[in-house]
Amino acid sequence: MREHTDLLTLRSQLARAEKQARKAAAERAPIPRPQPIRPLKPQREQDLEGVSTDDFSLSRAHAKLRDLVYDGQYHVCPHAVGHARAEGFLEPDIVNVLLTGRVRAIYTQEQRWLVCGYFESGGIRLPLHVVAQMPNGQGGGGLDVVTAFIPKHPHHIISRARLALLLRWDDEKLRLHTSTPGSRAGARGRGRWKKGA
């Protein structure tokens, strides 16, 4: 008489056979060697002086950042709102980056964090960097979103000098000029847009 085999017995036998096959393949495979990290150029080392990028600090900063945002203890500064309006993203995009993005650098002297993430505009996913600051150092006063911008090089940690230049805001009003096609005094041609330009 034929033995009755249970479906669960067959599944467990198959799982054991697959596990043994994976183990045998792993023993035959060569051990990958870690790739050596390229040294930074001296100018880049000088730019990143005072910027913390170790994983432990970044993960702690990100946990604290998310807790503050979830608790509603954040404030979006007028400078960040001005950049948002000028570059085409909104305040909810900034908050979304704070929640879903990654803390890429901690500027220890200024107690600022560079958070990198993405936002969607017109069906296109664009990078967005947000700079947040603890106003009283490590105190419990909340989080200030100092600025937000669309980076030219999204995977590049910006230096402290570049960050200082981004945060300098001498004029509260945004200057804009809208040009319309048409003839004006001193212009050549009939005032139409050139097709080749």
Side-chain angles (χ1 to χ4, degrees):
M1 205 169 180
R2 219 166 129 191
E3 284 187 24
H4 177 65
T5 55
D6 195 26
L7 182 61
L8 291 176
T9 308
L10 287 174
R11 283 185 180 170
S12 64
Q13 290 173 355
L14 182 62
R16 269 189 248 122
E18 287 177 352
K19 185 176 180 181
Q20 288 175 354
R22 281 195 306 266
K23 188 175 180 180
E27 290 174 356
R28 288 182 297 209
I31 299 172
R33 293 184 180 179
Q35 297 292 330
I37 300 173
R38 291 187 304 158
L40 292 175
K41 295 179 182 176
Q43 179 64 39
R44 185 72 178 141
E45 281 184 17
Q46 186 178 2
D47 284 346
L48 293 179
E49 186 177 334
V51 178
S52 175
T53 57
D54 61 295
D55 291 335
F56 179 71
S57 299
L58 297 180
S59 63
R60 283 185 54 200
H62 191 236
K64 186 171 187 176
L65 175 82
R66 289 181 63 191
D67 289 343
L68 288 171
V69 173
Y70 281 138
D71 292 342
Q73 297 179 359
Y74 66 92
H75 168 68
V76 181
C77 294
H79 184 248
V81 174
H83 268 270
R85 290 181 182 158
E87 295 190 17
F89 54 91
L90 302 171
E91 290 179 48
D93 295 326
I94 295 172
V95 174
N96 187 34
V97 166
L98 290 175
L99 291 174
T100 61
R102 285 181 51 200
V103 178
R104 296 275 297 174
I106 300 172
Y107 302 93
T108 52
Q109 292 179 359
E110 298 90 359
Q111 287 298 320
R112 290 189 174 151
W113 301 330
L114 175 67
V115 185
C116 303
Y118 294 91
F119 77 102
E120 193 168 321
S121 176
I124 299 172
R125 192 169 179 238
L126 297 171
L128 181 64
H129 285 188
V130 177
V131 177
Q133 177 180 6
M134 296 297 289
N136 301 330
Q138 295 292 338
L143 183 76
D144 285 338
V145 177
V146 181
T147 189
F149 57 94
I150 298 174
K152 291 182 182 175
H153 305 289
H155 303 291
H156 190 73
I157 297 172
I158 60 175
S159 67
R160 290 178 63 218
R162 174 83 175 125
L163 179 67
L165 182 67
L166 282 169
L167 296 176
R168 197 182 89 213
W169 190 256
D170 300 328
D171 193 4
E172 286 295 324
K173 296 181 182 178
L174 291 176
R175 296 181 184 169
L176 60 101
H177 174 74
T178 305
S179 60
T180 57
S183 58
R184 60 174 200 245
R188 294 183 183 179
R190 302 187 128 259
R192 302 268 184 215
W193 295 107
K194 292 182 180 178
K195 291 183 181 179

